[in-house]
Amino acid sequence: MTISQIQEELIDEFSMFDDWMQRYEYMIDLGKSLPIIDENLKTEGRLIKGCQSKVWLNAELKDDKIVFTADSDAIITKGIIAILIRTFSNQKPEDILNANTKFIDEIGLKEHLSPTRANGLVSMIKQLKLYAVAYQAQLNNS
Amino acid sequence: MPFDIEKIRADFPILKRKVNGYPLVYLDNAATSQKPQIVIDSIVNYYSNYNANIHRGVHSLSQEATDAYEIARQKLQKHFNIKNAYEVIFTSGTTHGINLVASGFSEILKKGDEIIVSALEHHSNIVPWQMLCERTGAILKVIPMNDDGALIISAYEKLLSEKTKLVFVNHVSNALGTVNPIKEIIRLAHDVGAAVLIDGAQACSHIKPDLQALDVDFYVTSAHKMCGPTGIGMLFMKEEWGEKLPPYQGGGEMIKEVTFEKTTYAGLPHKFEAGTPNISGGIAFGTAIDYLNSINFREIEAYETKILEYATKKLLEIEGLKIYGTAPGKTSVVSFNIEDIHPYDIGTIVDKLGIAVRTGHHCAQPIMEYYKIPGTVRASFAFYNTKTEVDALVEAVKKAKLMLT
């Protein structure tokens, strides 16, 4: 599936809920499906700066696609990163770079984009895109 | 005037609003307090009716503004029982006051001199002293705390010596609410000839300190935690220190005479008040002090203690909830965690229910490290909070726990 297809799918799933509590419960459930980062990869270098909770993110290039794994010590954060990883993992660096993140707003998680959330979500998206930049450069040089 | 909570709440326009569809329950008072209409009006009135630069103009408007600003200074003098109004220096806030003193001491300290701070400090307030030590070769020592979040005074006594030149302690800890025994801390420091700077930012909304009785050398605080506006604060400085310390910033207002060869500085407080100050802020600070006194600090303290006791009791009924900071006589702050749940998760859910609490390390990382936790949820109460709001918090935390486990 393309990134925008996955985003449409997520918007669909979240539109089933009438209130924030159900949305958050669903997000917490999604967090349980997060592809968990290897314990030994939970290093200082893989920590995302700017989050109140700890978020570790790892990226690997498999063929021409990036595979992300992650973990967090807070479950809501884990849910958020699960949503991001479902959207961006197993995608080409170029597609990740060109993708927009408007769907976050549409699934009702806009408040997490605000700087008062210590920029957690914004930092995560930035980090995902930085990996895409790096692997894109690597692919261009090989 | 009897303590009338409904009347008091009516003074604060923001308390009428809704957040995420729920009535706002504002429990982040340790970060900043809300403002009563009278303080808001005082700012509007200044800009609408007598806005002018102060201390210079001979015109009537400037005179009116100067008078109002200087009356505010006198209100602070009276409130804090300060001997002379010129020992009240307006700053932009607590951080500014601390940096002003730290900068002054860079001219006084020698290599090997010692500065003592406490383990309960706001970590941003440790930085000016670290910078000062780097500049001067002085050494920073730390008063440790115990499991209750109280300072260990016997350890403090051992740190003190004739090498100690300055002691810096907060009056009340922002993360835990601990009220430090500053009178004793000051006396012990003076016994070895050291000066003391007290950070009163967290204290002054709950306690009315008598600075002459405390015999403190420097005391700093911010208006915005006392129902006043942001961007204005007070540095009290004993007159003798005002003469010893060099000016912090150069600029207008702080000079007596300037030629290209030499400048003579103005006396206190102007020596430390370079440039056009926050005039409306200073005036509104005075209004906020009047407002708090009209409610009466003894009433405020008694009421907040009741709210704190109620909140503590109710929260502890939640299984797995642990409160950090249990020093006797603490101010109305409850810092807590629920077993196996990240404080950020709890904060996020209770916010969706209209409740404003703080989550995180509260800029006190050394304290969090002591307890080996990533942070806490902190509910901090003011005299305008109610038991009903405490109930709303408790219900929200229960709901969060249910969702998160």
Side-chain angles (χ1 to χ4, degrees), chain A:
Chain A
M1 273 204 284
T2 65
I3 291 178
S4 56
Q5 280 169 333
I6 298 169
Q7 291 184 342
E8 283 306 318
E9 194 181 69
L10 278 162
I11 293 168
D12 253 15
E13 286 170 24
F14 273 86
S15 70
M16 293 189 301
F17 308 116
D18 331 310
D19 68 8
W20 69 268
M21 223 174 207
Q22 292 174 337
R23 274 201 301 275
Y24 269 65
E25 272 165 356
Y26 185 59
M27 186 161 67
I28 289 166
D29 272 347
L30 289 178
K32 289 171 189 154
S33 67
L34 177 71
I36 296 290
I37 187 172
D38 234 44
E39 260 325 295
N40 57 25
L41 294 178
K42 283 188 180 177
T43 57
E44 195 65 28
R46 288 185 179 83
L47 264 180
I48 297 179
K49 306 275 180 290
C51 300
Q52 263 200 22
S53 48
K54 281 189 173 156
V55 179
W56 297 268
L57 178 70
N58 185 55
E60 277 167 76
L61 197 62
K62 284 202 177 135
D63 300 324
D64 58 347
K65 288 175 178 164
I66 304 180
V67 175
F68 290 106
T69 52
D71 200 2
S72 172
D73 56 351
I75 14 184
I76 292 174
T77 314
K78 223 164 143 170
I80 293 170
I81 194 130
I83 289 168
L84 290 179
I85 285 190
R86 182 163 143 197
T87 316
F88 294 113
S89 198
N90 285 307
Q91 301 289 344
K92 289 181 181 162
E94 193 189 344
D95 295 338
I96 296 171
L97 285 173
N98 292 331
N100 71 50
T101 46
K102 271 194 285 192
F103 77 107
I104 302 281
D105 192 353
E106 289 177 51
I107 62 178
L109 296 173
K110 187 177 146 201
E111 66 263 30
H112 291 276
L113 290 170
S114 128
T116 59
R117 296 280 164 183
N119 266 327
L121 181 52
V122 177
S123 308
M124 286 179 217
I125 293 168
K126 196 171 145 201
Q127 195 59 38
L128 288 161
K129 293 220 171 195
L130 278 175
Y131 274 120
V133 171
Y135 283 124
Q136 174 76 24
Q138 195 180 317
L139 286 173
N140 287 344
N141 291 335
S142 60

Side-chain angles (χ1 to χ4, degrees), chain B residues 17-81:
Chain B
R17 72 162 281 186
K18 288 192 168 187
V19 169
N20 294 324
Y22 294 86
L24 165 67
V25 174
Y26 185 76
L27 303 178
D28 194 17
N29 293 286
T32 195
S33 67
Q34 295 304 343
K35 321 302 173 202
Q37 190 64 49
I38 195 170
V39 168
I40 300 166
D41 287 346
S42 134
I43 298 167
V44 174
N45 184 32
Y46 165 75
Y47 283 115
S48 309
N49 294 310
Y50 59 102
N51 169 52
N53 210 333
I54 56 171
H55 296 145
R56 302 162 223 251
V58 292
H59 59 83
S60 302
L61 220 51
S62 170
Q63 201 53 56
E64 271 180 49
T66 305
D67 286 350
Y69 192 69
E70 290 308 319
I71 285 169
R73 196 191 302 277
Q74 287 162 18
K75 286 177 182 174
L76 267 71
Q77 177 202 358
K78 191 165 165 250
H79 177 78
F80 290 101
N81 191 27

Side-chain angles (χ1 to χ4, degrees), chain B residues 3-23:
Chain B
F3 192 88
D4 180 348
I5 185 68
E6 285 314 313
K7 190 178 167 293
I8 288 169
R9 287 182 67 81
D11 292 337
F12 292 80
I14 208 168
L15 297 180
K16 293 182 193 80
R17 72 162 281 186
K18 288 192 168 187
V19 169
N20 294 324
Y22 294 86

Side-chain angles (χ1 to χ4, degrees), chain B residues 281-338:
Chain B
I283 295 167
F285 192 0
T287 310
I289 296 253
D290 282 345
Y291 176 76
L292 290 173
N293 281 313
S294 77
I295 295 171
N296 183 325
F297 270 85
R298 232 168 292 154
E299 299 265 4
I300 288 175
E301 223 182 311
Y303 181 79
E304 287 180 351
T305 305
K306 262 193 274 174
I307 292 283
L308 175 69
E309 282 169 1
Y310 182 70
T312 306
K313 180 175 148 271
K314 283 284 176 187
L315 283 167
L316 284 175
E317 284 170 13
I318 299 172
E319 214 188 303
L321 187 142
K322 181 174 162 51
I323 291 177
Y324 297 90
T326 45
K330 72 168 187 174
T331 57
S332 44
V333 168
V334 187
S335 233
F336 66 91
N337 274 333
I338 296 179

